[in-house]
Amino acid sequence: AHCYLINIGAVTLTYGRRPDAVLTSTPTLYAGEDDLVVKNPGAGRDQPMDANLTGIRRSVEEWRALADLAAGLTAGSSALAVLDGTLIQWGLESRNYPQFVRDVLLHRGFLACLDRLRDLNGDRHLAVASYISYPGGGDVVNALRIILCPGDVINDRACEQCETKECEQVTGLRDRDLFAEVLAPGERSALFASTSSILEDYGDHRVRFFYLNVGEEIARVEVPAWAADDPALLDLTHGLVLDQCRRGHGYPVALGEAHEHAVVTGPDRENFWQLVDSF
């Protein structure tokens, strides 16, 4: 059967004098002709959906749902809109898709949602971030490799001819290992910028990130540049992510609850395919 299902779990937690919690799960079945392709606005061929594009579409729908939730916040409120995972759409960087695919999913999809979230800061204090648990990246460590290199020119040929191999001192080291040594619980690192080529299309949503010692782990927190450039929004992100991790015993409680409502279990999958077969 040519179809797929995206299930989005969303949680809104309110603290203070009037605490509240709203938890939802929204499954959507994609089975129509337009659902199984990325439509080409021009006269060319449409791009058939594959597993990678389905993941990107899920990400776009998650951010659209997050923007809808944020739009419902009362004026003057302070809040953090946060998702699990990365702000960087790696799948559009690593695959050779036609340009219209990037236009539809990135510009009109993902970045349009970030535009909405940025514009909501007109009458409320809204921080936006993504949370990466146990990050495996090495952006900062790779910068250390360059610092350790004794050569004036750094390229593959120079590396092959290097006799000292001083950069190998940090081989196998991840950013989280590095910051586990320098960050006390509750502390965040300096801000860093990713150099992914896909970010050339991001404009003022270019990704900045910092590492945060939440006590149980070193997490990577990514924010768009406009939020990183606002000290108040950056501090709000730091404070609320840390508070959520402490309430969730090392992982943001809102994301944990959202995941529980989003996950499609094995029995769920069996029931889904039985329903498909029945039609």
Side-chain angles (χ1 to χ4, degrees):
H2 295 285
C3 63
Y4 55 96
L5 181 139
I6 294 176
N7 189 40
I8 295 178
V11 174
T12 303
L13 298 178
T14 304
Y15 299 94
R17 289 177 296 175
R18 295 183 179 179
D20 191 21
V22 179
L23 297 84
T24 62
S25 175
T26 307
T28 302
L29 176 65
Y30 296 83
E33 291 184 5
D34 290 347
D35 296 330
L36 303 178
V37 297
V38 178
K39 294 289 291 183
N40 187 346
R45 293 180 57 188
D46 297 332
Q47 173 67 41
M49 293 293 292
D50 57 24
N52 182 58
L53 291 177
T54 302
I56 296 171
R57 177 166 287 178
R58 187 212 70 231
S59 176
V60 170
E61 295 305 319
E62 286 176 340
W63 281 99
R64 183 172 288 118
L66 187 65
D68 289 342
L69 284 178
L73 296 172
T74 58
S77 60
S78 293
L80 171 67
V82 61
L83 262 78
D84 182 54
T86 180
L87 284 170
I88 304 173
Q89 295 295 338
W90 295 107
L92 289 175
E93 178 187 58
S94 59
R95 304 296 181 91
N96 189 26
Y97 292 118
Q99 180 59 40
F100 76 85
V101 173
R102 182 177 293 200
D103 291 338
V104 171
L105 293 178
L106 184 64
H107 293 279
R108 298 187 218 169
F110 174 66
L111 295 179
C113 295
L114 288 181
D115 284 341
R116 286 184 64 197
L117 288 164
R118 177 196 58 203
D119 295 344
L120 286 172
N121 273 281
D123 61 354
R124 71 207 77 192
H125 205 49
L126 179 65
V128 176
S130 67
Y131 183 92
I132 303 175
S133 179
Y134 290 99
D139 299 80
V140 180
V141 170
N142 287 337
L144 288 179
R145 294 175 68 90
I146 295 174
I147 293 172
L148 291 170
C149 180
D152 296 325
V153 178
I154 300 175
N155 54 38
D156 290 341
R157 182 178 179 182
C159 289
E160 291 174 359
Q161 297 175 347
C162 178
E163 297 180 357
T164 60
K165 304 290 185 183
E166 293 183 31
C167 67
E168 292 186 356
Q169 296 178 58
V170 294
T171 297
L173 191 68
R174 294 164 296 197
D175 287 355
R176 74 170 191 252
D177 303 321
L178 173 67
F179 287 106
E181 297 296 323
V182 298
L183 293 178
E187 287 186 339
R188 74 171 187 250
S189 71
L191 278 171
F192 300 93
S194 173
T195 58
S196 169
S197 62
I198 191 67
L199 298 179
E200 295 174 4
D201 292 347
Y202 273 49
D204 65 351
H205 301 308
R206 289 183 72 93
V207 175
R208 305 288 186 266
F209 64 92
F210 60 86
Y211 288 93
L212 177 62
N213 186 339
V214 301
E216 302 291 330
E217 66 163 333
I218 302 295
R220 172 166 162 155
V221 180
E222 296 181 348
V223 296
W226 54 266
D229 292 339
D230 185 325
L233 286 181
L234 192 61
D235 287 344
L236 181 63
T237 301
H238 178 175
L240 291 183
V241 168
L242 185 59
D243 178 72
Q244 279 288 289
C245 288
R246 287 172 174 169
R247 295 175 187 270
H249 305 290
Y251 184 77
V253 63
L255 292 181
E257 292 295 335
H259 174 75
E260 290 298 321
H261 280 70
V263 66
V264 178
T265 66
D268 290 335
R269 292 173 184 270
E270 292 182 13
N271 290 334
F272 171 76
W273 288 118
Q274 287 177 8
L275 287 171
V276 170
D277 291 340
S278 69
F279 289 100

